[in-house]
Amino acid sequence: MKTKAQKQKDLEALIEHFRNAKAAMLVGFQGMTVAKDQELRNQLREAGVSYEVVKNTLARKAAEGTPLEQAADKFKGVTAVALSNTDPVNLSKAISKFTKANPDIFKFKVGIVEGKVVELREVEAIASLPSKEELISKVLFLINAQAQRLVTVISAVPRNLAIVVKQIGDQKSGETA
């Protein structure tokens, strides 16, 4: 049995997790096997997401004053919270994928992305977006491609001039021979 001090420490840790989260998904499950639970935890870990089964009363108290306060009424039944401190896309992809694969045992309750409440269809829409790293990569590619084109055009003028001068020199040497 936990002491009051241990419970307070758990509450403070949960409050801190809720405050720092850029995205959170509340999910429920029933009849989940250990193998399925491990599969979910592995997928979420690969996505850089923390996942924790929480006591509803503790979670409601911890949600006060945090972005998750809007979803406090969803802390009913068996509840787990998946939190992402970085990119909500990875969290959305992992939850959406597992929900589709296991609809009989895994239930999406509600999501909070950047302080806004989202439903499952919105999570699926977010999951279809490229991640932040992919977007940055695409923008850098576009910037680099324009720079390469500019360099090609600028270097074409002296190269073409050199070709013309060479051809004139070849013509003159052909005329003298």
Side-chain angles (χ1 to χ4, degrees):
M1 193 85 176
K2 290 187 175 184
T3 65
K4 192 168 185 162
Q6 289 172 320
K7 288 180 182 179
Q8 185 62 34
K9 189 175 179 182
D10 290 346
L11 177 64
E12 289 170 6
L14 197 56
I15 290 170
E16 192 63 29
H17 287 306
F18 285 1
R19 273 197 194 122
N20 294 334
K22 286 191 177 181
M25 306 286 165
L26 301 181
V27 295
F29 54 89
Q30 202 159 15
M32 187 182 292
T33 63
V34 173
K36 284 289 181 187
D37 185 54
Q38 287 295 54
E39 179 185 333
L40 172 63
R41 288 176 187 271
N42 288 338
Q43 286 177 6
L44 292 173
R45 196 173 302 117
E46 287 171 13
V49 175
S50 67
Y51 176 80
E52 187 176 351
V53 177
V54 294
K55 289 191 173 200
N56 293 326
T57 340
L58 181 68
R60 270 190 232 103
K61 284 181 183 177
E64 291 174 10
T66 69
L68 270 79
E69 188 171 21
Q70 307 168 65
D73 61 323
K74 300 291 184 180
F75 287 108
K76 295 177 184 165
V78 180
T79 306
V81 181
L83 301 168
S84 175
N85 296 338
T86 56
D87 191 12
V89 175
N90 289 336
L91 170 59
S92 299
K93 284 181 181 181
I95 292 293
S96 177
K97 179 181 173 186
F98 197 81
T99 303
K100 284 180 185 175
N102 303 288
D104 51 329
I105 59 172
F106 194 73
K107 183 181 146 209
F108 176 83
K109 291 184 177 185
V110 70
I112 308 287
V113 177
E114 310 244 340
K116 293 182 176 48
V117 177
V118 293
E119 297 299 322
L120 182 58
R121 68 180 184 286
E122 295 165 311
V123 169
E124 290 170 348
I126 292 170
S128 67
L129 296 172
S131 69
K132 186 177 179 179
E133 291 79 20
E134 290 175 65
L135 287 173
I136 290 171
S137 167
K138 287 178 182 182
V139 168
L140 290 176
F141 172 77
L142 291 173
I143 292 170
N144 190 28
Q146 295 303 321
Q148 284 179 331
R149 288 182 184 146
L150 182 63
V151 167
T152 303
V153 169
I154 290 173
S155 66
V157 174
R159 182 185 67 229
N160 292 344
L161 179 63
I163 291 171
V164 169
V165 169
K166 184 177 184 296
Q167 288 174 346
I168 292 172
D170 290 345
Q171 276 182 344
K172 292 208 177 198
S173 63
E175 289 175 6
T176 54

